[in-house]
Amino acid sequence: MHEPDYDSLRKIMVEEQLRKRGITDPGVLAAFLSVPRHLFVDADWKTQAYEDRPLPIGAEQTISQPYMAALMTQWLCPSPEHRLLEIGTGSGYQAAVLSLLAHTVFTVERIDVLYHNASKRLTELGYRGITPLLGDGSTGHESGALYDGILVTAGAPEIPEALLAQLKEGGMLVAPVGDRQHQRLIRIRRHRNGFHREEGTPCRFVPLLGAQGWQQP
Ligand code: SAM
């Protein structure tokens, strides 16, 4: 079968789905232009990889809609010296994007097969500075802390206390928070004397399952 021109599809995705909806950070736009999203989905979904929606990645999980991934990235304000933590590796796509914008990315996934697939994919594609980890990311990754930024890519009932504790002063955490069906993006900034909380756009993510997330699948 004739393969689509993925580079052109990716350019259109960045223009139509990201730039036109308010993703303006040049570094974020460049990262989304660079990462080959079609190589982060199963072969059956490859031709749909640049559509404006999440897609299945197996184990009943999804790769997030490009716009949502970009919005979260822009809100996190990553910079080249940053040490980041992502909870919910999934396909590895968001970790690949973050690795182009920061120095170090730790990414935690609870599902074995997704962890293995993403680790292999990120290595084969040559992404550097990423440490994939298998486990319950709702309690963070203590031995890598403190972080300049923490990005949670699964919906939580509340921001896990463990993640707040692993945030550097001046650091930011972005997470979808709400009930099982509907969440809102929340951004927390750590100050010397506490935390500042902002509410962002409504969204819908698969659940964060774990000790400091939802208890039931
Ligand atoms: N960032 C991913 C990507 O770029 O493909 C998409 C993430 S997907 C929307 C959410 C992921 O969070 C799923 O892979 C799910 O297994 C994972 N997850 C849910 N609860 C978790 C937990 N407590 N720790 C680590 N990963 C978790």
Side-chain angles (χ1 to χ4, degrees):
M1 205 183 80
H2 179 68
E3 282 273 296
D5 177 356
Y6 289 115
D7 289 349
S8 299
L9 290 178
R10 194 158 59 252
K11 276 187 199 146
I12 295 167
M13 175 194 87
V14 167
E15 286 307 313
E16 299 296 321
Q17 298 174 36
L18 307 192
R19 201 192 295 275
K20 282 192 181 167
R21 288 187 189 146
I23 306 299
T24 52
D25 184 302
V28 174
L29 291 168
F32 279 82
L33 199 54
S34 155
V35 179
R37 185 173 164 93
H38 61 286
L39 301 181
F40 287 79
V41 299
D42 290 344
D44 291 353
W45 293 97
K46 219 172 153 187
T47 56
Q48 280 113 297
Y50 295 98
E51 290 181 3
D52 186 18
R53 60 186 179 112
L55 290 175
I57 53 170
E60 297 177 8
Q61 305 302 319
T62 53
I63 178 173
S64 305
Q65 176 198 28
Y67 171 66
M68 193 48 68
L71 189 63
M72 293 176 99
T73 307
Q74 182 165 270
W75 228 21
L76 194 67
C77 302
S79 77
E81 73 285 4
H82 277 178
R83 183 180 180 82
L84 304 180
L85 174 66
E86 181 199 19
I87 310 303
T89 311
S91 66
Y93 177 71
Q94 178 80 69
V97 166
L98 293 176
S99 77
L100 300 179
L101 297 163
H103 185 268
T104 306
V105 180
F106 293 88
T107 180
V108 190
E109 173 56 55
R110 63 177 281 279
I111 299 178
D112 197 76
V113 64
L114 297 180
Y115 158 76
H116 283 289
N117 289 347
S119 304
K120 185 165 174 276
R121 179 179 287 133
L122 290 166
T123 303
E124 283 174 1
L125 293 174
Y127 287 97
R128 291 171 188 276
I130 305 176
T131 304
L133 300 156
L134 178 64
D136 175 10
S138 74
T139 55
H141 176 54
E142 179 97 56
S143 63
L146 298 169
Y147 302 103
D148 299 285
I150 301 179
L151 183 56
V152 184
T153 65
E158 240 322 319
I159 306 280
E161 287 291 329
L163 297 185
L164 294 176
Q166 291 172 28
L167 204 54
K168 230 180 231 180
E169 188 181 320
M172 299 233 253
L173 178 153
V174 173
V177 176
D179 62 30
R180 294 285 288 239
Q181 301 301 325
H182 307 95
Q183 304 95 38
R184 216 169 240 287
L185 283 191
I186 301 293
R187 179 166 70 176
I188 306 276
R189 187 181 194 117
R190 184 166 203 165
H191 293 288
R192 192 181 312 164
N193 302 318
F195 298 93
H196 174 72
R197 179 177 172 125
E198 291 168 87
E199 294 222 346
T201 187
C203 54
R204 189 168 184 178
F205 279 78
V206 295
L208 180 79
L209 293 168
Q212 296 200 23
W214 297 98
Q215 310 297 312
Q216 300 291 329

